[in-house]
Amino acid sequence: MSETILFPFSILASLYGLSCRLRILLYEKGMLPRKKVDCLVVSIGNLTVGGTGKTPFTIFLAKKWQERGYTVGIVSRGYRGTYKGPLRLVSDGQEILERPETAGDEPYLMAQRLKGIPILVSSDRYKGCQWLLERFHLDLILLDDGFQHIRLHRDLNILLVDATNPFGNGALLPRGALREPLSEVRRADVVIFTRSEDQADASEWIGEIERFGKPCVRTSFQPSRLIDVRNGTALPAGTLVKEPVLSFCGIGNPDSFGMLLKRLGVDLREQVVFRDHHSYQLSDLEKIRKKADQLGAKWVVTTEKDAVKIKALLPKDFVVWALRVDIIFWEDPAKWESLLFHSKPTLRSV
């Protein structure tokens, strides 16, 4: 694209960058007050638009803290959810109380996967945390997509970076993919590189970040199970090896889903891509089924995030499977556990 066409976007990106830096400076100088809640707060976020794996990583952390005996709550923005009012309780830890279209697909997926963990959506994370603490005996709260919400104090700031495309072209919105200036990596306590499939992935970035004293950890996503979207039946992910597959998704990084299936060893006939957070219609599913038939694809596979939005729409004779992934760490557990779980919350649940 020519510089002439990009020039207006460059101007807007410069203005956006100035507003970001001014806002951060006002908080750092105390001219805008930071709020603190009476429990440990762990934030999971990123610097870029698009998918870096925040939802699976938030699910992973919630389960790990729960295994350590702590009671956990989650506050999410509920992006693209249609809920009204300042906040909505998606799950009380026992029962899902909202639909994916009102809560947002990511909070709803977390509610499906996490038992015993209340999940709230709120644009004001401080008010959301306070609301949860008034109603549940929580030891810590996870902020899903909370890196930019600097109004709220956090005890651990985790930054996720996609190793396959760490910071896009390095430019701010709208010219690039950065939500904040790249220098704001400095606010992170630990940087997690996701989708790292090779020691060379993002190695220069990792070296640069570590030279500034920020520890980095490499992770990858590994397919673990296939879940029947309608009835929840589970099969090993390896069932798909060499099988003809049609995939579809509406996520921030659709190429990553296709690559995941190819590395699994499937015969990927085609991938149908929708925009991120796509609101599915029955007509979409009919087109997908028709295409699968035309291509001779025995299996139709999507992501868990997409699956929560299509379950109610699925025709009875159309079987769609969701691919579940696990997070795999490249480093020794002694390293990443000390970085992610070094803080010990006050136990309120005993």
Side-chain angles (χ1 to χ4, degrees):
M1 194 176 290
S2 71
E3 285 300 317
T4 302
I5 295 173
L6 288 174
F7 181 72
F9 295 99
S10 299
I11 295 295
L12 291 172
S14 297
L15 294 172
Y16 175 71
L18 285 172
S19 67
C20 286
R21 291 183 177 93
L22 176 60
R23 174 174 172 266
I24 292 164
L25 181 65
L26 291 174
Y27 275 107
E28 289 180 341
K29 296 297 184 182
M31 299 176 73
L32 289 176
R34 276 198 174 100
K35 303 261 186 161
K36 193 175 189 309
V37 296
D38 191 21
C39 77
L40 191 80
V41 174
V42 176
S43 169
I44 303 101
N46 56 12
L47 273 184
T48 56
V49 296
T52 54
K54 293 186 297 294
T55 301
F57 202 81
T58 302
I59 291 170
F60 167 82
L61 283 180
K63 288 183 173 180
K64 287 296 181 184
W65 276 112
Q66 203 176 39
E67 288 169 7
R68 284 164 166 76
Y70 297 99
T71 54
V72 182
I74 296 175
V75 175
S76 176
R77 177 185 169 193
Y79 182 69
R80 294 293 292 268
T82 60
Y83 69 94
K84 304 297 182 184
L87 50 83
R88 292 292 281 271
L89 185 64
V90 183
S91 170
D92 60 5
Q94 304 304 319
E95 183 181 357
I96 298 177
L97 306 171
E98 294 290 338
R99 300 188 307 276
E101 56 266 31
T102 55
D105 46 26
E106 290 151 341
Y108 189 89
L109 173 58
M110 289 188 284
Q112 273 194 337
R113 293 284 307 275
L114 298 169
K115 300 305 177 187
I117 295 178
I119 297 169
L120 184 86
V121 291
S122 176
S123 57
D124 188 323
R125 309 301 173 85
Y126 172 71
K127 289 182 179 178
C129 289
Q130 287 288 75
W131 193 93
L132 276 186
L133 286 173
E134 288 169 5
R135 289 159 179 82
F136 300 92
H137 296 289
L138 301 179
D139 301 319
L140 78 151
I141 292 175
L142 299 176
L143 295 184
D144 171 45
D145 195 14
F147 197 78
Q148 282 73 42
H149 204 86
I150 56 178
R151 175 173 174 247
L152 177 62
H153 168 85
R154 68 285 314 277
D155 300 278
L156 183 65
N157 216 14
I158 300 171
L159 179 66
L160 301 188
V161 178
D162 184 343
T164 65
N165 186 24
F167 302 106
N169 62 3
L172 287 161
L173 293 167
R175 178 164 181 174
L178 286 175
R179 293 168 153 187
E180 294 184 81
L182 193 51
S183 58
E184 293 312 305
V185 170
R186 66 191 173 90
R187 300 205 316 271
D189 296 304
V190 57
V191 180
I192 306 290
F193 279 81
T194 61
R195 303 191 179 99
S196 180
E197 303 300 329
D198 187 279
Q199 285 286 6
D201 283 346
S203 56
E204 291 185 10
W205 278 113
I206 290 173
E208 190 71 20
I209 291 169
E210 287 183 333
R211 276 193 289 276
F212 282 93
K214 300 298 178 182
C216 296
V217 176
R218 296 176 190 264
T219 67
S220 60
F221 297 127
Q222 178 175 290
S224 60
R225 275 179 284 176
L226 284 171
I227 311 294
D228 186 311
V229 173
R230 181 181 294 103
N231 61 31
T233 300
L235 295 174
T239 306
L240 289 180
V241 173
K242 297 183 179 179
E243 289 288 308
V245 169
L246 173 76
S247 70
F248 70 93
C249 63
I251 58 176
N253 188 345
D255 290 343
S256 67
F257 184 54
M259 290 304 298
L260 197 64
L261 287 167
K262 288 177 182 178
R263 283 196 297 271
L264 182 59
V266 312
D267 174 12
L268 186 59
R269 299 290 171 92
E270 190 171 323
Q271 175 163 286
V272 179
V273 175
F274 298 92
R275 65 183 178 84
D276 194 13
H277 299 281
H278 178 63
S279 179
Y280 287 93
Q281 306 298 319
L282 181 59
S283 59
D284 296 323
L285 299 179
E286 293 294 354
K287 289 176 184 176
I288 290 166
R289 176 157 64 172
K290 184 177 180 180
K291 187 174 286 290
D293 290 340
Q294 290 171 345
L295 296 171
K298 179 183 173 183
W299 300 80
V300 176
V301 181
T302 191
T303 71
E304 284 197 290
K305 193 172 89 165
D306 292 283
V308 301
K309 293 184 288 187
I310 67 168
K311 182 176 180 179
L313 296 172
L314 271 179
K316 291 183 179 178
D317 58 344
F318 186 25
V319 180
V320 175
W321 298 84
L323 186 68
R324 179 166 295 177
V325 297
D326 290 334
I327 293 173
I328 306 299
F329 286 79
W330 285 56
E331 283 83 1
D332 186 274
K335 176 181 178 180
W336 60 264
E337 287 184 357
S338 66
L339 292 170
L340 298 178
F341 304 107
H342 67 275
S343 298
K344 299 300 180 187
T346 301
L347 279 172
R348 302 165 184 278
S349 51
V350 295

Short mmCIF file of all heavy atoms in Angstrom, two decimals, residues 160-194:
data_model
loop_
_atom_site.label_atom_id
_atom_site.label_comp_id
_atom_site.label_asym_id
_atom_site.label_seq_id
_atom_site.Cartn_x
_atom_site.Cartn_y
_atom_site.Cartn_z
N LEU A 160 0.35 -11.37 26.96
CA LEU A 160 0.43 -12.44 25.96
C LEU A 160 0.83 -11.87 24.61
O LEU A 160 0.31 -10.83 24.19
CB LEU A 160 -0.91 -13.16 25.83
CG LEU A 160 -1.50 -13.82 27.08
CD1 LEU A 160 -2.72 -14.66 26.70
CD2 LEU A 160 -0.48 -14.69 27.81
N VAL A 161 1.74 -12.57 23.94
CA VAL A 161 2.22 -12.13 22.62
C VAL A 161 2.21 -13.35 21.70
O VAL A 161 2.69 -14.42 22.06
CB VAL A 161 3.66 -11.57 22.71
CG1 VAL A 161 4.17 -11.17 21.33
CG2 VAL A 161 3.72 -10.38 23.66
N ASP A 162 1.64 -13.18 20.51
CA ASP A 162 1.60 -14.25 19.51
C ASP A 162 2.98 -14.37 18.87
O ASP A 162 3.43 -13.46 18.17
CB ASP A 162 0.54 -13.92 18.45
CG ASP A 162 0.37 -15.03 17.43
OD1 ASP A 162 1.24 -15.90 17.32
OD2 ASP A 162 -0.66 -15.02 16.73
N ALA A 163 3.65 -15.51 19.08
CA ALA A 163 5.01 -15.69 18.58
C ALA A 163 5.09 -15.70 17.06
O ALA A 163 6.13 -15.41 16.48
CB ALA A 163 5.61 -16.99 19.13
N THR A 164 3.97 -16.01 16.39
CA THR A 164 3.98 -16.06 14.93
C THR A 164 3.89 -14.67 14.30
O THR A 164 4.23 -14.50 13.13
CB THR A 164 2.82 -16.93 14.39
OG1 THR A 164 1.57 -16.32 14.73
CG2 THR A 164 2.89 -18.33 14.99
N ASN A 165 3.45 -13.69 15.07
CA ASN A 165 3.34 -12.31 14.57
C ASN A 165 3.30 -11.38 15.77
O ASN A 165 2.25 -10.81 16.09
CB ASN A 165 2.09 -12.15 13.70
CG ASN A 165 2.02 -10.79 13.04
OD1 ASN A 165 3.03 -10.13 12.83
ND2 ASN A 165 0.80 -10.35 12.71
N PRO A 166 4.44 -11.22 16.46
CA PRO A 166 4.42 -10.59 17.79
C PRO A 166 3.72 -9.25 17.89
O PRO A 166 2.85 -9.07 18.74
CB PRO A 166 5.92 -10.47 18.12
CG PRO A 166 6.55 -11.59 17.37
CD PRO A 166 5.77 -11.68 16.09
N PHE A 167 4.10 -8.29 17.07
CA PHE A 167 3.53 -6.95 17.21
C PHE A 167 3.11 -6.36 15.87
O PHE A 167 3.09 -5.15 15.68
CB PHE A 167 4.52 -6.02 17.91
CG PHE A 167 4.94 -6.51 19.28
CD1 PHE A 167 6.21 -7.06 19.48
CD2 PHE A 167 4.05 -6.48 20.34
CE1 PHE A 167 6.58 -7.54 20.73
CE2 PHE A 167 4.43 -6.96 21.59
CZ PHE A 167 5.69 -7.49 21.78
N GLY A 168 2.75 -7.24 14.92
CA GLY A 168 2.30 -6.78 13.61
C GLY A 168 3.39 -5.98 12.92
O GLY A 168 4.57 -6.36 12.93
N ASN A 169 3.00 -4.85 12.35
CA ASN A 169 3.98 -3.99 11.67
C ASN A 169 4.61 -2.97 12.61
O ASN A 169 5.35 -2.08 12.16
CB ASN A 169 3.33 -3.28 10.47
CG ASN A 169 2.18 -2.36 10.89
OD1 ASN A 169 1.89 -2.21 12.09
ND2 ASN A 169 1.50 -1.75 9.93
N GLY A 170 4.31 -3.10 13.90
CA GLY A 170 4.90 -2.20 14.89
C GLY A 170 4.22 -0.86 15.00
O GLY A 170 4.67 0.02 15.76
N ALA A 171 3.13 -0.67 14.25
CA ALA A 171 2.42 0.62 14.25
C ALA A 171 1.16 0.54 15.11
O ALA A 171 0.57 -0.52 15.29
CB ALA A 171 2.05 1.02 12.83
N LEU A 172 0.76 1.70 15.60
CA LEU A 172 -0.45 1.81 16.40
C LEU A 172 -1.69 1.81 15.51
O LEU A 172 -1.63 2.09 14.32
CB LEU A 172 -0.41 3.09 17.23
CG LEU A 172 0.54 3.11 18.43
CD1 LEU A 172 0.83 4.54 18.85
CD2 LEU A 172 -0.05 2.32 19.59
N LEU A 173 -2.83 1.51 16.14
CA LEU A 173 -4.11 1.66 15.47
C LEU A 173 -4.28 3.12 14.98
O LEU A 173 -3.82 4.04 15.66
CB LEU A 173 -5.25 1.33 16.44
CG LEU A 173 -5.37 -0.12 16.90
CD1 LEU A 173 -6.34 -0.20 18.08
CD2 LEU A 173 -5.86 -1.01 15.77
N PRO A 174 -4.87 3.34 13.81
CA PRO A 174 -5.45 2.36 12.90
C PRO A 174 -4.49 1.89 11.82
O PRO A 174 -4.87 1.09 10.97
CB PRO A 174 -6.61 3.14 12.28
CG PRO A 174 -6.08 4.54 12.21
CD PRO A 174 -5.23 4.73 13.43
N ARG A 175 -3.23 2.39 11.82
CA ARG A 175 -2.29 1.95 10.79
C ARG A 175 -1.79 0.53 11.05
O ARG A 175 -1.48 -0.21 10.13
CB ARG A 175 -1.11 2.91 10.71
CG ARG A 175 -0.09 2.47 9.68
CD ARG A 175 0.88 3.52 9.27
NE ARG A 175 1.80 2.97 8.26
CZ ARG A 175 2.68 3.70 7.62
NH1 ARG A 175 2.79 4.99 7.87
NH2 ARG A 175 3.48 3.15 6.73
N GLY A 176 -1.69 0.16 12.31
CA GLY A 176 -1.21 -1.17 12.66
C GLY A 176 -2.14 -1.85 13.64
O GLY A 176 -3.31 -1.48 13.76
N ALA A 177 -1.58 -2.83 14.36
CA ALA A 177 -2.40 -3.64 15.26
C ALA A 177 -2.19 -3.31 16.73
O ALA A 177 -2.84 -3.91 17.60
CB ALA A 177 -2.10 -5.12 15.03
N LEU A 178 -1.30 -2.36 17.03
CA LEU A 178 -0.97 -2.09 18.43
C LEU A 178 -2.06 -1.25 19.11
O LEU A 178 -2.45 -0.20 18.60
CB LEU A 178 0.37 -1.36 18.54
CG LEU A 178 1.62 -2.19 18.29
CD1 LEU A 178 2.85 -1.29 18.30
CD2 LEU A 178 1.77 -3.30 19.34
N ARG A 179 -2.49 -1.72 20.27
CA ARG A 179 -3.44 -0.96 21.09
C ARG A 179 -2.75 0.14 21.87
O ARG A 179 -3.37 1.13 22.27
CB ARG A 179 -4.12 -1.89 22.09
CG ARG A 179 -5.03 -2.94 21.51
CD ARG A 179 -5.36 -3.93 22.60
NE ARG A 179 -6.64 -4.59 22.42
CZ ARG A 179 -7.19 -5.40 23.31
NH1 ARG A 179 -6.56 -5.65 24.45
NH2 ARG A 179 -8.35 -5.97 23.09
N GLU A 180 -1.46 -0.07 22.16
CA GLU A 180 -0.65 0.88 22.93
C GLU A 180 0.74 0.91 22.32
O GLU A 180 1.13 0.00 21.59
CB GLU A 180 -0.52 0.42 24.39
CG GLU A 180 -1.78 0.40 25.19
CD GLU A 180 -1.49 0.00 26.64
OE1 GLU A 180 -1.07 0.88 27.41
OE2 GLU A 180 -1.66 -1.18 26.98
N PRO A 181 1.52 1.96 22.63
CA PRO A 181 2.91 1.98 22.16
C PRO A 181 3.66 0.73 22.63
O PRO A 181 3.44 0.23 23.73
CB PRO A 181 3.48 3.25 22.80
CG PRO A 181 2.29 4.13 23.02
CD PRO A 181 1.17 3.20 23.35
N LEU A 182 4.57 0.26 21.82
CA LEU A 182 5.33 -0.95 22.11
C LEU A 182 6.12 -0.83 23.42
O LEU A 182 6.36 -1.82 24.11
CB LEU A 182 6.27 -1.24 20.95
CG LEU A 182 6.94 -2.60 20.89
CD1 LEU A 182 5.94 -3.73 21.04
CD2 LEU A 182 7.72 -2.74 19.58
N SER A 183 6.47 0.39 23.78
CA SER A 183 7.23 0.63 25.01
C SER A 183 6.47 0.17 26.26
O SER A 183 7.07 -0.06 27.32
CB SER A 183 7.58 2.10 25.15
OG SER A 183 6.39 2.90 25.15
N GLU A 184 5.14 0.02 26.15
CA GLU A 184 4.35 -0.35 27.32
C GLU A 184 4.49 -1.82 27.71
O GLU A 184 3.88 -2.25 28.69
CB GLU A 184 2.88 0.01 27.11
CG GLU A 184 2.63 1.50 27.04
CD GLU A 184 3.32 2.26 28.16
OE1 GLU A 184 3.09 1.92 29.34
OE2 GLU A 184 4.10 3.18 27.86
N VAL A 185 5.30 -2.56 26.98
CA VAL A 185 5.70 -3.89 27.44
C VAL A 185 6.30 -3.79 28.85
O VAL A 185 6.21 -4.73 29.65
CB VAL A 185 6.71 -4.53 26.46
CG1 VAL A 185 7.31 -5.81 27.04
CG2 VAL A 185 6.04 -4.84 25.13
N ARG A 186 6.86 -2.63 29.15
CA ARG A 186 7.50 -2.41 30.46
C ARG A 186 6.54 -2.62 31.62
O ARG A 186 6.97 -2.89 32.76
CB ARG A 186 8.08 -1.00 30.54
CG ARG A 186 7.03 0.10 30.51
CD ARG A 186 7.61 1.50 30.32
NE ARG A 186 6.55 2.48 30.14
CZ ARG A 186 5.96 3.15 31.14
NH1 ARG A 186 6.32 2.92 32.39
NH2 ARG A 186 5.02 4.03 30.90
N ARG A 187 5.24 -2.49 31.40
CA ARG A 187 4.27 -2.67 32.49
C ARG A 187 4.04 -4.14 32.84
O ARG A 187 3.45 -4.45 33.87
CB ARG A 187 2.92 -2.03 32.14
CG ARG A 187 2.96 -0.55 31.88
CD ARG A 187 1.62 0.11 32.15
NE ARG A 187 0.48 -0.60 31.63
CZ ARG A 187 -0.04 -0.45 30.41
NH1 ARG A 187 0.53 0.39 29.55
NH2 ARG A 187 -1.11 -1.13 30.04
N ALA A 188 4.48 -5.03 31.98
CA ALA A 188 4.24 -6.45 32.22
C ALA A 188 5.19 -6.99 33.28
O ALA A 188 6.35 -6.60 33.36
CB ALA A 188 4.43 -7.23 30.92
N ASP A 189 4.69 -7.90 34.10
CA ASP A 189 5.54 -8.62 35.05
C ASP A 189 6.14 -9.87 34.41
O ASP A 189 7.23 -10.29 34.76
CB ASP A 189 4.74 -9.03 36.30
CG ASP A 189 4.25 -7.83 37.07
OD1 ASP A 189 5.09 -6.99 37.45
OD2 ASP A 189 3.03 -7.70 37.28
N VAL A 190 5.41 -10.45 33.47
CA VAL A 190 5.90 -11.61 32.72
C VAL A 190 5.26 -11.57 31.34
O VAL A 190 4.08 -11.19 31.19
CB VAL A 190 5.59 -12.93 33.46
CG1 VAL A 190 4.11 -13.08 33.74
CG2 VAL A 190 6.10 -14.14 32.67
N VAL A 191 6.03 -11.93 30.31
CA VAL A 191 5.54 -11.95 28.94
C VAL A 191 5.45 -13.40 28.48
O VAL A 191 6.44 -14.13 28.52
CB VAL A 191 6.47 -11.15 28.00
CG1 VAL A 191 5.94 -11.17 26.57
CG2 VAL A 191 6.62 -9.71 28.49
N ILE A 192 4.26 -13.81 28.08
CA ILE A 192 4.02 -15.18 27.62
C ILE A 192 3.90 -15.16 26.10
O ILE A 192 3.00 -14.52 25.55
CB ILE A 192 2.72 -15.76 28.22
CG1 ILE A 192 2.71 -15.66 29.75
CG2 ILE A 192 2.52 -17.20 27.76
CD1 ILE A 192 3.68 -16.56 30.45
N PHE A 193 4.82 -15.84 25.43
CA PHE A 193 4.72 -15.99 23.98
C PHE A 193 3.90 -17.23 23.67
O PHE A 193 4.26 -18.34 24.05
CB PHE A 193 6.11 -16.08 23.35
CG PHE A 193 6.75 -14.73 23.17
CD1 PHE A 193 7.39 -14.11 24.24
CD2 PHE A 193 6.69 -14.06 21.96
CE1 PHE A 193 7.97 -12.86 24.09
CE2 PHE A 193 7.26 -12.81 21.80
CZ PHE A 193 7.90 -12.21 22.87
N THR A 194 2.76 -17.04 23.00
CA THR A 194 1.88 -18.14 22.65
C THR A 194 2.16 -18.57 21.20
O THR A 194 2.79 -17.84 20.44
CB THR A 194 0.40 -17.75 22.78
OG1 THR A 194 0.12 -16.66 21.88
CG2 THR A 194 0.08 -17.30 24.20
#
